[in-house]
Every structure is written in structure tokens, then in C-alpha cells.
Amino acid sequence: MAVDEALLRLSREGPAAVTLRLYAWARPTVSLGYFQTYDLTVNDEACRRLGVAVVRRPTGGKAVYHDREVTYALVGREDAGFFPPDVLGTYRAVGEGLVRALGLLGLGAEMAPEGRPERGGGRDASCFAVPSAFEILVRGRKVCGSAQVRSRGAFLQHGSLLLSFDARRTGEVLAAPAGRMGAGDLGEAAAGVNDLLPEPVSREEVCEAVRRAFAEVFGVVLEEGGLTREEEAMKEGLLAGKYLTEGWNRQGGGKRL
Amino acid sequence: MKVFPDDLLYSREHVWVRVEGDLATIGITDYAQERLGEILSIELPEVETEVERDEAFGVIESAKASIELISPVTGEVISVNEDLTDDIGIINSDPHDTGWMIVVEMKDQNELDDLLDARGYQEFIVNEMEAD
């Protein structure tokens, strides 16, 4: 989270490049959306018992259990020219890359239609309970959930591309509001690529497909790179001052109306 | 084409300002609310908080994104629109008036010189849309 935010904060400086970052988590982690209420979202007892970490994202949206998946982050400036300056337009453009990536893996994916109503009144804590506009479906099941933050002409969109979906564990680590889907329904709503492919693929194969797909869809050559010194320093500051603090992870940023 | 009130000033971050003496009432523009879609929640500073020009003074959540609200002026927040607690939809339905967010007592009115008038803002967003 700290790296993703540092990339966003520093994207205004330097060339108008777009960064694609693919990563996995050091240990299973629940990430909750910027505006989610901790106690209504996270089952603290289950997370402690199972050794699952919890972090609040800088992006909106709902909670994600990160374990058998690839997380992507895309950071860019609106003036870079690849992405439209609105929320849904960016989702659509990134979605085209993700659909192509899944195609390279042998899965026929599509984007969820715009404005699809949420079942169950949208009360579910889990991101994978319902597809939002332009999220990625294979045979009607969500394989990738994404979220976005925008600031000063730049955006960060990150998301979780599932290798396999564990509905039972997802249900266990998230809080259970009334009317929430059971593990069975949640298992029908989402799936990982290896739940759908006849032969399983590795995390690296998925990453390679994503890299190739984005290069093809946007007509660019990807250059591999690490964090700059500035990005590294900002990441450290954000870890100490934000993402490793209870205040941020439990309460979030400020006063909510 | 949208019509933007002549009695407001506008920032390139799609925030409007109504100036009365050294008080600046601040909200987001009709163009911004339309681009964001249905607004679901908002985080604003408390009264007596200092806000800084070009820094975030709040965060708004719309369909699956959080968006930072960038202050066009520096000063102290003297009022927050508590009506948004009851009906956040007024940011979408009446962004330039009852959907206001905060009132700031400005430290330096020269900061207003960088803002656009209605016509300038209109031209700015036309250019932005063409750049897509």
C-alpha cells in the first residue's frame, strides 16, 4: 500500500509515464477500502487466529482477502494520454488490458456492464460479492476486483486478480452483516483463474500474461524498473506514519460525515 | 454544455469558491460531480482545522473510487456543511449551492488570483475533454 501511494504522490513529478506494478503479499492480508468501517468489515478474532494481517487502502471499494492472487497496481497521470480522466473510463481502459491477459491464459473474459445493480443492497463487506461496472467476469463470475483513488490529475488503480478463490476463508476473515451472502453464494459469485482453467497456471505465468496484455492493448513497451530513491523514502515515511499504524488501519483518515 | 455561475471562482481541480470578504465557501463543480457519478460518502476537516492551498482538505467516495478534494486557498475552517450528513445526494443534485462543503477564513486573498472565472473554467474543461 505504501509503495502504491508513493508512486501516486510522486507521479506528478518527472515524466508522464505510467507504472504497472505486480506483486504478492508477504502473508495473507485483508485490505479494506478507504471508507469502510473496520468493525463492520473485519472479523478481528478470525484474522488474529489465522495470522491474517489487516491494512486499510488509500482506494475506495470493499474488502479483499489477498492470498492466492496477483495484485496489480497502475499509476498514471491523466496527461499521459493512455487513460481518460474519469473513474469509469479508467476502469474500462484497464479492464481491456485485464480481459486480454485472461485471454492469453485461455479464458474468455468480459467486463461487467455499467450500472449493474448490487444484489443484497450492497451491504456485503467483500469486494468479490458483487461485480461493479467494468469489473472482470469469466462465465459470470468475478475474477478480478479493482479500486481507485484520484488526486491532482493522477490516479492509482489497484486490484486483485484471483489465482483461486477461497470463499470459506474470505467469509471467515470478514465481518458478517445481516443479509450477507453465505460461503456457497460467494463461491458462485467469484472464481480464480485456476478454478476455471483445466491446467493450473503459476503466479509468474499470470504476471507475464498481464505484462504482455498491457503492452499490446496500449501499444507500449514496458521497461522494468525499481523504486527511485524518492519513492523509497516516501514509502518508508508512509509505512511508519500511516500503513503500520493502528490509527490509520482502524479509523482511517479523518472525520466522516 | 453546462452553465457555471458567474459569481464563483473555479480551480483546475474542479473546486469552486464563493468569496465574501475574507471568507471562502468551497464545494465541487457540477462538472466534477457528474464525472464522479453517485457520491456515497465524504470525509471533511473539523472546524478550526487549518487547510492549505493545493493540499487535500477531504476525500470523497463515489462509485468505487476515492477522490481527494484539493483546497484552492489557505486558512482556517470555520464551518462544515452538516446537511451533507443527512443527504449526501445534494452534492450531486445541487453542487454549486446547498451542496457546499466548508467555509474557510482565508489567510492570503492573493491566492484567489490563480483561480478561473466561469468562462475560463468552461474553456478549461473543454480542453480537458478534448485531451481524452
Coordinates of all heavy atoms in Angstrom, one line a residue, chain A residues 27 112 170 203 240:
Chain A
R27 N 2.4 -12.0 3.6 CA 1.5 -13.0 4.3 C 0.0 -12.7 4.0 O -0.3 -11.6 3.6 CB 1.7 -13.0 5.8 CG 1.4 -11.8 6.5 CD 1.5 -12.0 8.1 NE 1.5 -10.8 8.8 CZ 0.8 -10.7 10.0 NH1 0.1 -11.6 10.4 NH2 0.9 -9.5 10.6
A112 N -18.0 -6.4 -16.7 CA -19.4 -6.3 -16.2 C -20.0 -5.1 -16.8 O -19.4 -4.0 -17.0 CB -19.4 -6.2 -14.7
T170 N -12.5 -16.3 2.9 CA -13.0 -14.9 2.7 C -14.1 -14.6 3.7 O -14.1 -13.6 4.4 CB -13.4 -14.7 1.3 OG1 -12.3 -15.0 0.4 CG2 -13.8 -13.2 1.1
R203 N 1.8 -18.2 -10.7 CA 1.7 -16.8 -10.5 C 2.5 -16.0 -11.5 O 2.1 -15.0 -12.1 CB 2.2 -16.4 -9.1 CG 2.1 -15.0 -8.7 CD 2.4 -14.8 -7.2 NE 1.2 -14.8 -6.4 CZ 1.1 -15.5 -5.2 NH1 2.1 -16.1 -4.8 NH2 0.0 -15.5 -4.5
A240 N 5.7 4.1 8.2 CA 5.8 4.5 9.6 C 4.7 5.4 10.1 O 4.2 5.2 11.2 CB 7.2 5.1 9.9

